[in-house]
Amino acid sequence: MKAIYITEPGKVEIRDIPKPQRKPGEALLKVLYGGICGSDLGSYRGTFAYFEYPRIPGHEFAAEIVEIDDNDQGLKPGMVVTCNPYFNCGHCYSCQRGIVNACMDNQTMGCQRDGAFCEYITMPIERIYDGKGLSPKVLAAIEPFCISYHGVQRAGINPGDKVLVIGGGTIGVLAANAAKALGGQVYLCDVPQAKEKLERSQSTFGFAGTILNEGPQALEQAVKDITGSVDINGNVTGYGFDVCIEAVGLPATFQSCIDCAAFGGKVVLIGVGKQNLDFNFTLLQKKELNVYGSRNALKKDFLELIDLVKDGKVDLEKIITNVYPFEQAAQAFEDFSTKGGSMLKVGIDFTGIHS
């Protein structure tokens, strides 16, 4: 069968490899559709923290069951499904406490282990979830929605909370949608290079507003304009956002979340990066901030979001802006890397390679 490999930063190849053989407790799946994640893009650029070359990328996908044993989940050949791609060890302290998404030896498909960007894969049956009639294109977007949804859930957003999401990529836009669904007044923020993407997201999903981050002063002014109040001296100041969600993975954007958060506010870190941040940590104490990390997602996130999308609460198809056939995988990565300011979710269609 054919598989997509990132062989080194900036280089993607399609290779012929053996078709996998399923083991007891596994299913053989035919991959139908995949999405290029921000981590896949980071692997392509050489900036992602959890990647070794060469490797098959991909953990956002939909597939058709080809072979499967009798099971108590009602899964059968021919069903279109998605999967939980975060392989936990089952033995570490996190796993023992049921925090399997934060396994101390986590291996996510396409990151610490080979991913789904090939014709066929095998998966443990317990990691496979019925797509309930969603199209493969939409079903492949469930996993990134889970990443965002899990982080937003960590924040415990209340109706009326002012929420700042920094990062107008797929994860940021989906986090903004999740926060909006919980009643938050959501503002999506990104840099001028992503202005087109920011404007498209705003017109598509109708957030409370957007912020074009043209620098620290512009961001500070935006906070004043959105959360402004008059202090005892008659000066207009911004009290800050109740919740700030970082969906980029850069030191500057995490610092911006800390700066933009209200006293007693919450900061959620979803973005993943390699760089260090040197900052005045006393600001966390001064503001009494609640800072949450958010890693991966749980089975319940997948199941809840499949139902939510099926019920029409969020139209995931709207985030998919570009689709490439399998044979053009290298072009897909290159375009996403160089023209990302105008792209939101880039998909790869695998259906054309199956006999």
Side-chain angles (χ1 to χ4, degrees), residues 22-285:
R22 72 183 183 96
K23 301 173 184 176
E26 293 182 339
L28 178 66
L29 306 179
K30 178 170 63 177
V31 179
L32 302 176
Y33 198 95
I36 299 178
C37 177
S39 61
D40 295 324
L41 185 59
S43 301
Y44 176 76
R45 290 172 170 171
T47 59
F48 186 56
Y50 310 125
F51 195 85
E52 295 180 359
Y53 305 89
R55 179 154 286 158
I56 300 171
H59 51 261
E60 307 173 3
F61 63 96
E64 178 184 332
I65 299 176
V66 178
E67 298 175 4
I68 192 169
D69 296 327
D70 290 337
N71 59 87
D72 59 5
Q73 296 180 216
L75 299 172
K76 299 177 181 179
M79 293 178 64
V80 177
V81 298
T82 191
C83 302
N84 183 329
Y86 326 118
F87 282 73
N88 61 294
C89 71
H91 305 292
C92 72
Y93 187 50
S94 297
C95 288
Q96 290 174 24
R97 292 180 293 153
I99 313 173
V100 296
N101 59 301
C103 170
M104 297 168 69
D105 189 31
N106 172 79
Q107 293 191 2
T108 296
M109 294 174 65
C111 299
Q112 295 94 344
R113 62 192 293 157
D114 280 338
F117 283 7
C118 44
E119 288 188 69
Y120 296 91
I121 61 171
T122 57
M123 287 290 291
I125 293 173
E126 68 270 12
R127 293 186 169 276
I128 302 173
Y129 308 133
D130 179 8
K132 296 187 175 180
L134 295 179
S135 72
K137 186 177 180 181
V138 169
L139 198 54
I142 288 291
E143 189 277 338
F145 198 7
C146 286
I147 294 290
S148 302
Y149 181 75
H150 184 79
V152 168
Q153 293 277 31
R154 296 274 284 154
I157 292 171
N158 297 308
D161 280 352
K162 283 188 167 62
V163 181
L164 174 65
V165 178
I166 297 185
T170 302
I171 298 300
V173 171
L174 290 174
N177 272 283
K180 180 184 174 185
L182 293 174
Q185 298 179 31
V186 183
Y187 293 80
L188 187 64
C189 175
D190 213 322
V191 293
Q193 294 93 317
K195 182 179 180 180
E196 180 182 342
K197 186 160 57 178
L198 204 61
E199 291 174 345
R200 181 192 294 127
S201 298
Q202 174 62 19
S203 63
T204 301
F205 298 108
F207 303 126
T210 61
I211 299 173
L212 197 61
N213 185 4
E214 297 177 297
Q217 291 183 334
L219 187 56
E220 182 181 357
Q221 185 60 50
V223 174
K224 288 182 179 180
D225 293 341
I226 295 168
T227 70
S229 61
V230 179
D231 64 20
I232 57 175
N233 298 315
N235 300 314
V236 177
T237 183
Y239 55 76
F241 288 87
D242 301 295
V243 178
C244 293
I245 299 173
E246 201 283 340
V248 180
L250 291 174
T253 46
F254 182 60
Q255 179 70 67
S256 293
C257 282
I258 294 171
D259 294 338
C260 294
F263 281 60
K266 303 170 185 176
V267 174
V268 181
L269 176 63
I270 301 177
V272 179
K274 282 185 172 181
Q275 302 175 50
N276 295 332
L277 172 62
D278 182 7
F279 75 108
N280 180 5
F281 62 86
T282 301
L283 193 57
L284 302 180
Q285 180 272 335

